[in-house]
Amino acid sequence: MNITVIGTGYVGLVTGTCFSEMGNRVTCIDIDEKKIGDLKKGIIPIYEPGLENMVQKNVKRDNLHFSTQLNEGLEKAKVVFIAVGTPMGEDGSADLQYVLGVARQLGKEMNKPLIIVDKSTVPVGTGDKVKKVVQEELDKRGVNIDFHIVSNPEFLKEGVAIEDFMKPDRIVVGAESEEALETMNALYAPFTHNHNRMISMDIRSAEMTKYVANAMLATKISFMNEVANICELVGADVNKVRIGIGSDSRIGYSFIYPGSGYGGSCFPKDVKALKKIAEENGYKARLIASVEDVNDRQKLVIADKIIKRFGEDLTGKTFALWGLAFKPGTDDMREAPAIYVVKELTKRGAKIKAYDPKAIEEAQYFYLKDVKDISYFHSKYETLPGADAMILLTEWKEFRSPDFEEINVQMKNPVIFDGRNQYSSLNLEKRGFEYYQIGVKRQ
């Protein structure tokens, strides 16, 4: 099938590449000339395991193409995916200017029937707006061309996006016509060969499903972090409580790990957007608002522990920081706890020596570019000499089983602040460490 994907960000690039892997002829469109030039050379703008090789392979196979010209993508396309950004507005709502801008351009340039698919995360009712804008442009041209609107939200996890797309646990499709639904079924058939995971519904329900899924996962995280804070006050061990409740099949173990809060491109934005959607319809979403409030506070829990241990004035103190990305497997630092911890400590006079396997450039040139008292290193052990304590904020695999003797020797003080409870079962205090974690009161 001939497919066009508009937008070569995280979602668009993964979507186009995975469809091309199954033999479809895919054209990815973006207005960023440099990005398209790099993609044609096999240079990938994001870090996602397996993506670079898949892009390069399918470009060589002539299955995957990149262009800045929309007309090149529309020439033979049967399905067009809109995968442009929906940045968060100042009021928390999703900004639809790019989605509707693409819809307007499609209405101006399409010359044959199309199935137009919203892949971007969009508020309920966006499908209707896209349909209206496309039709307005067709009417201006005085042409009558059939088109169908579909909502097909993505459920990709950064770090395992290729696997998620190639082996989906569900494919949600909101469609207004049988023709569109049949086409989407055919397009996704190679991904559901062993088991039909297609869930069809109306467009508004599909749009809502994405927001609710992310808000539900964010709720589990904030709930467990709230519990962790209570456990610490009453002398319980949240790590043991987690095991106790996770063994209940109605609850399960997923997303109940205590830590320094959620970040990334999806949960913070989608929780805010869902809260805003409720407000716009006259409803105050108290639980969803609390999820956000708990998460905002949680990002500074580790900083608060450090300040309590070393004092309000951190002048002359140096901290080794392991982990900058909001989660392992990605270079994404959007809303990462590291941003908040670094800024809180450095404004009090501390110096930070940071290491992350993938996110150093993101920190240097974007998220922490204005922070002067931070330096970056090429390995985790290089951050340790002269450090008053080590802080763990991202649970990369290479941090799971470090050489604690080396850590002890290199640092000024054998002090660890663990923002992801990675070392909770290792009895570090018996090894001479002063160990602080989330949800466990130090004796």
Side-chain angles (χ1 to χ4, degrees):
M1 195 177 296
N2 286 300
I3 302 166
T4 291
V5 179
I6 303 174
T8 57
Y10 184 84
V11 173
L13 188 56
V14 171
T15 297
T17 302
C18 289
F19 277 134
S20 72
E21 177 73 5
M22 289 303 190
N24 296 290
R25 191 179 191 279
V26 179
T27 302
C28 292
I29 306 293
D30 203 292
I31 60 173
D32 188 330
E33 293 184 2
K34 183 181 184 306
K35 183 188 285 189
I36 292 297
D38 286 344
L39 285 167
K40 287 179 177 180
K41 299 173 186 175
I43 301 172
I44 309 302
I46 57 173
Y47 173 73
E48 180 62 39
L51 181 60
E52 184 174 1
N53 288 338
M54 191 177 285
V55 168
Q56 293 172 350
K57 176 174 62 176
N58 283 287
V59 168
K60 289 180 180 178
R61 289 176 174 174
D62 202 36
N63 287 342
L64 184 59
H65 304 263
F66 300 98
S67 177
T68 58
Q69 303 301 313
L70 180 59
N71 63 324
E72 292 183 14
L74 295 182
E75 189 177 344
K76 296 180 179 179
K78 182 174 184 179
V79 181
V80 175
F81 285 85
I82 300 176
V84 294
T86 52
M88 186 169 58
E90 291 184 5
D91 61 354
S93 62
D95 187 344
L96 293 177
Q97 63 173 310
Y98 303 112
V99 170
L100 297 181
V102 169
R104 195 166 301 283
Q105 204 61 33
L106 287 172
K108 289 178 179 179
E109 298 195 30
M110 61 187 289
N111 289 306
K112 62 184 183 60
L114 284 179
I115 294 172
I116 300 171
V117 184
D118 273 329
K119 197 69 174 172
S120 302
T121 300
V122 294
V124 177
T126 300
D128 294 335
K129 293 179 180 179
V130 169
K131 182 178 181 179
K132 180 182 177 183
V133 168
V134 173
Q135 189 61 57
E136 284 176 352
E137 294 302 323
L138 291 176
D139 291 343
K140 288 178 184 178
R141 293 166 56 193
V143 296
N144 183 22
I145 302 174
D146 287 337
F147 67 95
H148 304 274
I149 303 298
V150 171
S151 175
N152 175 217
E154 55 85 16
F155 299 98
L156 306 176
K157 299 186 292 292
E158 292 188 50
V160 289
I162 297 295
E163 182 178 353
D164 282 348
F165 200 102
M166 301 300 287
K167 299 178 180 179
D169 51 14
R170 83 283 207 194
I171 299 166
V172 173
V173 175
E176 59 182 5
S177 71
E178 282 299 319
E179 181 182 342
L181 187 58
E182 288 174 6
T183 299
M184 296 300 288
N185 270 311
L187 182 58
Y188 276 110
F191 301 93
T192 60
H193 184 69
N194 294 326
H195 181 69
N196 185 10
R197 303 182 189 278
M198 186 80 74
I199 303 171
S200 59
M201 57 186 72
D202 61 277
I203 292 175
R204 285 180 173 245
S205 295
E207 291 169 339
M208 189 65 168
T209 297
K210 174 58 188 283
Y211 280 115
V212 174
N214 281 348
M216 182 67 217
L217 296 175
T219 299
K220 292 185 74 174
I221 294 170
S222 281
F223 175 80
M224 203 63 202
N225 283 332
E226 190 94 290
V227 169
N229 296 334
I230 298 171
C231 284
E232 195 164 337
L233 292 171
V234 302
D237 185 334
V238 72
N239 301 299
K240 295 174 182 177
V241 173
R242 178 185 62 79
I243 295 171
I245 66 170
S247 58
D248 186 329
S249 61
R250 296 170 301 174
I251 299 173
Y253 291 105
S254 297
F255 288 85
I256 62 167
Y257 288 83
S260 295
Y262 59 77
S265 62
C266 294
F267 288 7
K269 180 167 69 73
D270 292 354
V271 168
K272 283 183 182 294
L274 186 56
K275 185 175 70 170
K276 184 64 178 176
I277 289 169
E279 289 174 1
E280 290 174 345
N281 287 274
Y283 182 78
K284 187 173 182 178
R286 292 175 176 83
L287 176 58
I288 295 169
S290 296
V291 168
E292 184 179 43
D293 291 343
V294 168
N295 192 63
D296 289 343
R297 293 198 306 271
Q298 197 68 19
K299 289 179 180 179
L300 288 172
V301 165
I302 283 293
D304 291 342
K305 290 177 181 291
I306 293 169
I307 293 164
K308 185 177 180 180
R309 166 64 174 79
F310 289 99
E312 294 282 343
D313 185 358
L314 298 176
T315 303
K317 300 299 181 184
T318 300
F319 299 99
L321 175 59
W322 289 10
L324 293 164
F326 87 94
K327 62 178 263 187
T330 180
D331 60 354
D332 193 345
M333 279 189 65
R334 283 173 285 188
E335 296 295 321
I339 298 171
Y340 298 87
V341 172
V342 167
K343 290 183 176 180
E344 184 67 23
L345 299 183
T346 55
K347 81 177 184 182
R348 296 172 183 272
K351 294 186 182 299
I352 306 294
K353 300 170 70 176
Y355 167 72
D356 187 284
K358 296 296 178 183
I360 287 177
E361 287 190 4
E362 290 291 302
Q364 278 182 307
Y365 301 116
F366 297 101
Y367 297 98
L368 297 173
K369 65 180 180 180
D370 296 325
V371 178
K372 295 179 180 179
D373 292 321
I374 184 170
S375 50
Y376 302 94
F377 295 82
H378 297 294
S379 78
K380 56 184 183 287
Y381 295 117
E382 288 179 6
T383 67
L384 299 175
D388 292 280
M390 185 269 274
I391 308 166
L392 175 71
L393 289 179
T394 312
E395 60 274 35
W396 288 96
K397 287 181 180 179
E398 68 169 278
F399 298 158
R400 290 184 184 177
S401 186
D403 185 339
F404 288 104
E405 290 185 12
E406 181 73 12
I407 295 173
N408 201 341
V409 169
Q410 292 284 354
M411 292 200 302
K412 280 184 186 178
N413 307 301
V415 181
I416 294 177
F417 292 89
D418 185 353
R420 296 298 179 187
N421 287 18
Q422 288 293 286
Y423 309 136
S424 57
S425 62
L426 297 180
N427 293 319
L428 290 184
E429 293 185 353
K430 290 184 178 180
R431 303 187 189 191
F433 282 90
E434 195 176 325
Y435 178 57
Y436 298 84
Q437 56 181 309
I438 304 290
V440 181
K441 186 176 182 178
R442 287 196 77 249
Q443 301 300 322

